[in-house]
Amino acid sequence: MVDVIKTLANMVNYFHDFLLKVNRFLGIDLNDKDLHFWIFGLIGFIIFIWVDIVFKKLAQWNISIISFIYTFTLMAIIALALEIMQKITGRGNMEFLDFLYGVWGFMVLAGISLVIKLSIAAFKKSKRIK
């Protein structure tokens, strides 16, 4: 997990330095805060447009799909934050498998919930047909 975070951090740092060099080369007077404003704004806006389109399509099927995606994302963030906290505090081991097992636990329980929901819906449908 530490290696994954270090690799991602190095990639972000490389991209950050590259943007600062391009900024200086083009003679644009943007400081670090300006770059954060524009880059995060642009990335966030592109993600928002994509997510909005996808979620509108998914909502036509079932709102539970959106609930699952939101909860999955939240659980992944919480699991990652917990692993980082363990590394910072030295309490526990920061391991990528811990992160995966935490997210997997949610997916298994969500899957069980889905099977129960579908079973109840099928049972109710069969009662109406009779």
Side-chain angles (χ1 to χ4, degrees):
M1 182 76 138
V2 173
D3 293 335
V4 171
I5 291 174
K6 284 182 180 179
T7 300
L8 290 173
N10 285 334
M11 290 170 55
V12 168
N13 288 335
Y14 174 80
F15 184 66
H16 180 267
D17 294 344
F18 173 77
L19 285 176
L20 287 175
K21 286 177 185 175
V22 169
N23 180 38
R24 273 185 253 121
F25 177 77
L26 295 176
I28 302 170
D29 191 27
L30 297 176
N31 62 29
D32 188 56
K33 305 294 182 265
D34 295 331
L35 284 174
H36 279 256
F37 176 86
W38 288 109
I39 298 301
F40 275 82
L42 183 62
I43 291 170
F45 187 67
I46 290 168
I47 291 170
F48 171 76
I49 291 171
W50 181 80
V51 167
D52 192 48
I53 291 167
V54 170
F55 279 22
K56 282 179 182 174
K57 293 289 183 192
L58 291 174
Q60 292 173 354
W61 293 337
N62 192 329
I63 197 72
S64 291
I65 296 169
I66 296 172
S67 299
F68 173 81
I69 293 170
Y70 176 80
T71 306
F72 176 82
T73 304
L74 187 61
M75 293 309 300
I77 291 168
I78 291 170
L80 183 59
L82 178 66
E83 292 304 312
I84 292 171
M85 182 193 67
Q86 286 181 344
K87 176 65 176 175
I88 291 170
T89 62
R91 296 188 58 139
N93 294 323
M94 181 178 176
E95 296 178 9
F96 189 65
L97 277 178
D98 288 350
F99 166 78
L100 290 179
Y101 272 76
V103 173
W104 181 243
F106 162 70
M107 292 185 66
V108 167
L109 293 177
I112 291 169
S113 170
L114 178 63
V115 168
I116 292 169
K117 241 177 156 177
L118 292 174
S119 298
I120 291 170
F123 178 74
K124 286 181 179 178
K125 186 175 181 179
S126 71
K127 291 268 270 184
R128 279 185 289 201
I129 294 174
K130 289 181 181 181

